[in-house]
Amino acid sequence: MAIDINRIYQKVLAIANKEQRGYITPQEFNLLANKAQLEIFENYFYKINTAERKPKNQMAYADNIEMLEEKLHPFHIDTTVQTSTASLTLPTDIYKIIGISRAGKKVTQVNKSQISYTENHPLTKATIDRSVFVREDSGIVTIHPAPSLMPEDFEVSYYREPANPNWTYVVLNGKALHNANASDLQNFELHLSEEENLVSRILISAGTLIKQPDLQTSGAGTIQLNSQEQNN
């Protein structure tokens, strides 16, 4: 279930406007909202890496991983991509590859610096049953060995990027009013538990934007408190 962007906007305005701290325009809010959502989303992967380094016999480990996977689940995509060459074009909304498979068998990722060595040795050279891929710079991976003659299907699992949040509005009497029926309305796609985290991160950025350090302090304090509670 998405987080209502109007609810977040009204919370941010209420705090920012308190004691005449300043006004955040809809355009500014949308930019700050996108920044905050991406920060939280990217932090999921950092937290997973951190949790995986902890002792595996702790119940907290399983709980942390399970919660993070739940938060990432809406962004998990499984799709089929076809190619008849060594170049496999990835989906445009990809953020992080989970895995690529070929006829049900995993295709292993190798670095560009490794591929010249592995492909030039008969014992490590890739085969159909032991395929590898190299991530290129332009949304493409190179498959080894390449498909021969006929097009071939590859199963790609990945995490997509969250859609950019967009608070839509109409202007009446010089005031921006929420338009909940606009076709380009986009709520936050994060887990419902991230509502206060979003508000805090937007306030931190807004504090810099409208030159109100106390907003930054307020937002940072809330994030620190939430982090301590999660780690206990």
Side-chain angles (χ1 to χ4, degrees), residues 103-225:
K105 296 181 179 180
K106 179 182 177 181
V107 182
T108 303
Q109 182 173 358
V110 298
N111 297 328
K112 284 185 178 181
S113 59
Q114 296 175 306
I115 194 66
S116 59
Y117 296 103
T118 58
E119 285 300 285
N120 287 324
H121 195 290
L123 295 179
T124 57
K125 186 177 178 65
T127 66
I128 293 296
D129 291 332
R130 187 169 45 80
S131 301
V132 300
F133 74 89
V134 176
R135 186 79 180 263
E136 307 295 345
D137 299 328
S138 55
I140 292 174
V141 299
T142 302
I143 302 293
H144 299 270
S148 58
L149 302 178
M150 299 293 292
E152 191 174 341
D153 289 338
F154 290 83
E155 293 73 42
V156 180
S157 295
Y158 67 97
Y159 290 115
R160 66 171 177 83
E161 292 185 347
N164 292 346
N166 187 38
W167 188 79
T168 51
Y169 63 97
V170 293
V171 178
L172 293 177
N173 299 321
K175 184 177 181 180
L177 300 177
H178 183 49
N179 181 8
N181 297 317
S183 60
D184 56 343
L185 170 68
Q186 178 61 58
N187 289 312
F188 292 97
E189 292 194 294
L190 299 177
H191 193 274
L192 289 174
S193 65
E194 301 291 5
E195 182 169 318
E196 293 306 318
N197 196 0
L198 279 169
V199 172
S200 298
R201 289 180 181 273
I202 292 171
L203 287 174
I204 290 174
S205 297
T208 302
L209 184 68
I210 62 178
K211 298 180 180 180
Q212 291 292 334
D214 55 334
L215 282 181
Q216 295 173 281
T217 303
S218 174
T222 302
I223 289 176
Q224 184 177 13
L225 179 62

Side-chain angles (χ1 to χ4, degrees), residues 33-156:
N34 185 49
K35 178 177 181 291
Q37 178 169 251
L38 285 176
E39 285 175 351
I40 295 171
F41 178 73
E42 291 168 355
N43 200 35
Y44 292 158
F45 300 97
Y46 170 78
K47 287 182 176 179
I48 287 177
N49 289 335
T50 300
E52 287 178 341
R53 290 197 294 268
K54 293 182 179 179
K56 303 299 189 292
N57 60 349
Q58 294 183 3
M59 288 297 294
Y61 165 82
D63 292 342
N64 288 339
I65 293 294
E66 183 178 355
M67 176 55 72
L68 289 168
E69 288 179 345
E70 179 182 342
K71 291 180 177 181
L72 283 169
H73 180 71
F75 306 101
H76 185 163
I77 303 293
D78 294 316
T79 190
T80 299
V81 181
Q82 188 178 83
T83 183
S84 56
T85 69
S87 295
L88 185 71
T89 302
L90 299 172
T92 56
D93 62 346
I94 196 165
Y95 176 81
K96 180 179 179 64
I97 295 176
I98 299 173
I100 299 177
S101 59
R102 183 182 204 172
K105 296 181 179 180
K106 179 182 177 181
V107 182
T108 303
Q109 182 173 358
V110 298
N111 297 328
K112 284 185 178 181
S113 59
Q114 296 175 306
I115 194 66
S116 59
Y117 296 103
T118 58
E119 285 300 285
N120 287 324
H121 195 290
L123 295 179
T124 57
K125 186 177 178 65
T127 66
I128 293 296
D129 291 332
R130 187 169 45 80
S131 301
V132 300
F133 74 89
V134 176
R135 186 79 180 263
E136 307 295 345
D137 299 328
S138 55
I140 292 174
V141 299
T142 302
I143 302 293
H144 299 270
S148 58
L149 302 178
M150 299 293 292
E152 191 174 341
D153 289 338
F154 290 83
E155 293 73 42
V156 180

